[in-house]
Amino acid sequence: MNKLANMRHWPERMSPNFGMSRANNSNSNSSMGMPPIHPHQKVTAQGPLPLAAPQVPEAPIHYSFNVPFASDLAGPDTEDILHATADAVLRWTHPEDAPDDIPVYELPVHAQNLAQLRKMCKEITQSPLAIEAHVMSTTPKNVRGQVTTVCLSGTAEFVYKTRETILNDTPLSLRCTTVDVDGHLVANLAEGVLKKDVTDFLDEVSVFCGVDIFLLGPKLTPVVDGLSGDVEVRRDQRWRVAIYGDILASEHAKCRVLVQIDRLLGRIVDAMIFELSLHQLVCGRNRKNIKLIESATNTAIYFPPPFSQAYRYCPPNATRRDPQEVFITGENPGAIEQARFRVHELLSRMRIFVKDVQIPSAKIDSILLSRMDKVRKIIEANGTFIMFPPLASRQNTVRIQALENLHAERSVRDLMALVGQFYTAAWWINQPDKLPLPLPSPNDIKTMLGDICANSDADVSFDRLSFNITGSDEAVKAALMVISQIKFVALSAYQIRVKIELANEHKEFVSGKKNGKINKIMGQSNVQIMFDNFGEYNFNIEVLAQTYDSMKQGLTLVEQEMPASISFHVPDQYHKRIIGIGGQHIQRIMKKHSVFVKFSNAMDRGGIGREDEDSRVDNVICRTPARNAQNLELVKSEILEMVDRVDSEFTSQIVNVDRLYHRRLLARLPDIEELEKKWNCKIVFPSTEQASDEVTVTGPQWQVPMCVDAFLGMVPDRHEVIMERSSGLIKFLQSSDFVQNIVPKLKSQHEVEVTVHENSDERAESGAPTVTILWTFTRNNAGGLRDAMDFLQGQFATSGVEPVLIKGAIPRPKSDTFEESLQYFDSKLLQHAPAPVSTDSPTKPSFGDEVARERNTIFDRLRKPGSMSSISSFLDRRKNSSHSATNSFFKGSSNVSKSSLISIESTRSFNAGRDPWNDSGVNLPDDDNNPWSNTRVMTGNGTDQKLAVPQPGDATPRHNARQSADSGRPSTSHSTNSGYPGPLSGPFR
């Protein structure tokens, strides 16, 4: 096995005054590879010079980029804060005298980060090095929050090293992670005060990890009933630990908080160390291996983030987590030792496949700054490790490790598809000696580049009268639109080149037969299009034009010819039925909608029985040019019509279950596997370190509700009803009729168990003693609780008992009558229903103004953030307000996921002698008149105009964005969410 540590040496971290210590050392090179600085010497003819002749100084460049500060991250609600670490309240909340409309980016923490960045850039500018750094902050109308842009001026080497320093010494992408915790673990509920050891621990973690931590009160959370799918909203009994910090520091603090919660639960904590590159391989695909170990040993295993080697920032005076350290918590030392043994057993059997791929360094930085959530999904889905070079290091090699070559290839293809989301462009100004306007001054250039970055979120450099742009597809097009509106650029002779990266297998799909599509586009839009085969997986499509309008038109047409695809799952037994004899059924569908359809079976995906997950991967792919993407859903619906109802559309539903109860459910893994086999579904638990309550159930649309209902039948729940103690009530509850008849009937008819308790600590407002009736049920039967309580209320009335309810009533929902319409009629025949009473039901009562009043009063009783002197009064009012809301139970195609193209490659071809992927497989219908008449583009001033095309060709009608998440061109669905979508006028599409 190749050790990743011996693979390459990443460059050392650089400080703002880098290179100063070796400036006069002629025998060694600096850490940046800079040439040594020598005094000028006279050139003689007697022999070779002792030192190299001085070179012509490199021309300075201007480079501008946005710093992702996450300035729209707001702090917690001050009414919810029960404890805060040192200065956390001052950093994340506005002063009391601040106006109500003050923006979030003016929070002290965001202002402090901006001030530190300005100070750093000022020190860089004032250093002896030939480099200038300037910071600009703007609030574009089309962007939410504040945009911070840094413009660097100097030689290319100094500029890129300074950018590396800034990005690695600045807290990027601040975030808030939340951990739910039971109140009795952090507070003495009887006395109404926080436990000192808990607050001391939070303060210690805050300093150790460099984060801000808040202990917050309960929140309103939605809970879904089983089979009915109705949504109920109630106040969660758990408290929250909110952690604010950068991506690595917040993950570090979150893991330590989770481990401490396990300690408070009486579990033992241990740790083991092994190489970071092996962590995901031990976890397995979808973390299957580690879940089996946790379920067999009743332990919890916490892994560090898989991409920690790519980020080098650490908060001041803080400590980074060891990227190789794995925490294990268990009930006893024997369980931990058994878990360690199983992990070592997996490590000893590993056979590792390694794959290196080359990705442009600028695109690696874009992925590290904006797409790591996608990379994490790729890693977990394939059980692979992806090692990126450090952020802004200008290195372009990415290494993938996997246990099987198939999984490594899938990860590479998914990653390279992610790379295709980013474009590069160049704008050259020709004939510099004939410029119609004088060249802007350096200060004007900095301002110009700052405006381009703020309005497009693309990185822009200006060097020798040429602009170089890198960013997401929408960002690059927005930047080109802004540049086209600059006067000295628009009036000069120029050339534009836009480079698109696409998978090699799509090359002939885009070009058409004998390059027919590309030739047609070049003739109609006056552009040049070249294909550049530069890699094993991807190739470049270069669009060159002499005018901005031509480039915009040509790029639009090229994008419309790029493949749009949708993939979904159909059980293998239906494939022959759908294809038909000789392929007649599927050929009819393909010709009808101009969409090519391809199937893959278990053999095509790497063999039968290789992985259980392969039985549910997307095995049908529909592909067509992007201009015809609206027909993908039609093809999908026609295919699924030929599938039995129980196996049709695969969808997903999320079920909320307390994360600590996941351990008990994993202990019943055989029962869960029986549920999966019975309902043909997959139940996926979140990772341990994710600390999420969300369990995902995936399967056929008509089977998922049944599986969710059966799964919730394994999750217990409870509800308390507190009544004032009276002699009549006690006599009824102790009667033989209640014990022998009513309680068994509640169990048999309503699936609810009833027990009676007396708590001397619980008193009514009058000081009278109380009686607690505890209702126990499973989550799938929560809807029957109200009926059971109504039945018991009827028994009270029959026996002549009038209980005084203190807490826990469940009112009936408001009836659908004409009472509201007839409120103006004074009639004694119309009875007025009493107003519903606010309750703490776990099922479906409505909530509204009562919740608002409760929220305004609960935390008002806390005198200041962090004060616990009035928590006892807060605990006395633990009301659960909930809300009935409609919910679309079936998600439909919005939950369909894409699989990597390698997983659906099949050797089957419906037309012998022709590769079906070379073209769309079918011809789109021609338009009678102007074939491009329906294509519209956005001009620079924001108007929508038709394309003026002189020649006929394939019809390319404009289509609206589809509702499905898998429509449109591949890998661009995330582009508009990259942060700064562009000017209000909008880039062309």
Side-chain angles (χ1 to χ4, degrees), residues 328-551:
I328 305 177
T329 66
E331 299 288 347
N332 51 68
I336 294 178
E337 192 61 32
Q338 187 179 5
R340 293 169 63 98
F341 173 78
R342 288 173 177 258
V343 171
H344 282 297
E345 190 178 14
L346 287 175
L347 290 171
S348 62
R349 297 201 309 262
M350 279 186 180
R351 180 186 174 192
I352 299 177
F353 292 83
V354 180
K355 181 74 175 180
D356 289 345
V357 292
Q358 304 297 320
I359 299 176
S361 59
K363 296 187 177 183
I364 292 178
D365 293 343
S366 299
I367 292 175
L368 290 176
L369 293 174
S370 60
R371 298 290 192 274
M372 289 311 295
D373 55 337
K374 306 285 186 183
V375 175
R376 188 192 286 268
K377 292 181 180 179
I378 295 174
I379 290 174
E380 293 183 353
N382 298 290
T384 56
F385 173 73
I386 301 178
M387 191 180 84
F388 289 95
L391 178 64
S393 63
R394 304 281 298 170
Q395 301 193 27
N396 59 1
T397 301
V398 177
R399 169 162 291 189
I400 292 93
Q401 286 190 181
L403 293 179
E404 295 187 24
N405 191 43
L406 175 63
H407 299 155
E409 286 292 328
R410 287 178 177 177
S411 299
V412 172
R413 290 180 178 270
D414 289 346
L415 181 62
M416 299 306 287
L418 202 62
V419 172
Q421 294 185 4
F422 302 98
Y423 289 2
T424 57
W427 188 307
W428 295 294
I429 298 178
N430 302 326
Q431 301 177 354
D433 54 339
K434 298 181 180 180
L435 292 178
L437 296 176
L439 190 67
S441 64
N443 290 332
D444 294 336
I445 293 177
K446 297 171 188 175
T447 304
M448 173 182 64
L449 295 182
D451 292 339
I452 297 173
C453 281
N455 287 279
S456 65
D457 194 33
D459 291 358
V460 184
S461 65
F462 185 75
D463 179 20
R464 294 188 179 92
L465 294 179
S466 66
F467 294 90
N468 292 283
I469 309 157
T470 304
S472 65
D473 50 357
E474 299 295 337
V476 169
K477 291 187 287 187
L480 291 174
M481 187 192 67
V482 176
I483 294 175
S484 68
Q485 299 174 355
I486 301 175
K487 289 186 177 180
F488 94 93
V489 175
L491 298 178
S492 305
Y494 57 83
Q495 185 183 44
I496 308 174
R497 182 189 68 183
V498 180
K499 190 178 293 186
I500 305 172
E501 197 165 344
L502 197 62
N504 287 331
E505 60 192 23
H506 302 317
K507 181 177 179 180
E508 296 189 17
F509 185 97
V510 176
S511 63
K513 299 175 183 177
K514 298 181 179 179
N515 291 332
K517 295 180 181 179
I518 295 302
N519 292 334
K520 191 177 299 182
I521 294 174
M522 289 193 296
Q524 294 174 346
S525 57
N526 193 23
V527 297
Q528 288 184 335
I529 301 176
M530 297 184 297
F531 287 3
D532 177 19
N533 296 323
F534 72 95
E536 180 182 356
Y537 296 94
N538 287 8
F539 74 100
N540 280 333
I541 303 176
E542 296 187 12
V543 180
L544 290 85
Q546 302 297 325
T547 64
Y548 171 73
D549 290 335
S550 298
M551 185 280 304

Side-chain angles (χ1 to χ4, degrees), residues 559-675:
E559 288 181 334
Q560 290 184 353
E561 295 298 338
M562 293 175 68
S565 61
I566 185 173
S567 57
F568 51 94
H569 178 82
V570 172
D572 290 356
Q573 65 265 26
Y574 296 100
H575 289 188
K576 291 184 178 180
R577 178 194 303 181
I578 298 171
I579 294 173
I581 300 176
Q584 57 182 357
H585 290 170
I586 198 64
Q587 288 285 358
R588 177 184 58 81
I589 295 175
M590 292 194 313
K591 291 180 180 179
K592 176 181 178 181
H593 299 286
S594 300
V595 174
F596 188 82
V597 183
K598 192 172 185 179
F599 296 83
S600 69
N601 53 33
M603 292 296 293
D604 300 323
R605 295 192 297 272
I608 300 177
R610 178 185 296 268
E611 291 280 357
D612 293 338
E613 291 83 356
D614 280 335
S615 63
R616 297 176 179 86
V617 299
D618 296 341
N619 55 8
V620 179
I621 185 170
C622 307
R623 184 174 295 160
T624 189
R627 54 192 164 99
N628 191 46
Q630 66 271 18
N631 286 346
L632 290 173
E633 285 288 354
L634 300 177
V635 172
K636 178 182 176 181
S637 62
E638 284 202 32
I639 291 176
L640 292 180
E641 285 178 359
M642 290 182 275
V643 178
D644 292 345
R645 185 176 184 182
V646 294
D647 294 322
S648 63
E649 175 90 35
F650 268 55
T651 185
S652 298
Q653 183 178 347
I654 293 177
V655 182
N656 286 311
V657 179
D658 188 346
R659 68 173 186 86
L660 292 178
Y661 197 76
H662 292 181
R663 300 168 183 176
R664 299 185 183 181
L665 293 174
L666 288 173
R668 303 174 61 183
L669 208 55
D671 297 336
I672 294 178
E673 291 177 351
E674 287 295 327
L675 288 182

Side-chain angles (χ1 to χ4, degrees), residues 68-133:
F69 268 137
S71 59
D72 57 343
L73 178 62
D77 193 335
T78 55
E79 296 180 351
D80 293 347
I81 300 175
L82 304 180
H83 175 76
T85 55
D87 298 332
V89 174
L90 297 178
R91 287 165 50 83
W92 288 97
T93 60
H94 291 294
E96 295 182 358
D97 56 350
D100 295 337
D101 58 346
I102 186 171
V104 174
Y105 61 80
E106 291 189 9
L107 281 172
V109 61
H110 299 313
Q112 180 183 358
N113 290 335
L114 181 57
Q116 291 176 350
L117 178 62
R118 292 185 185 276
K119 181 181 178 181
M120 183 193 307
C121 292
K122 184 178 180 180
E123 293 176 352
I124 293 174
T125 304
Q126 294 176 351
S127 67
L129 301 175
I131 185 72
E132 293 184 6

Side-chain angles (χ1 to χ4, degrees), residues 699-715:
Q701 186 179 31
W702 302 99
Q703 302 285 79
V704 167
M706 311 297 182
C707 185
V708 170
D709 184 72
F711 175 71
L712 289 179
M714 303 169 64
V715 181

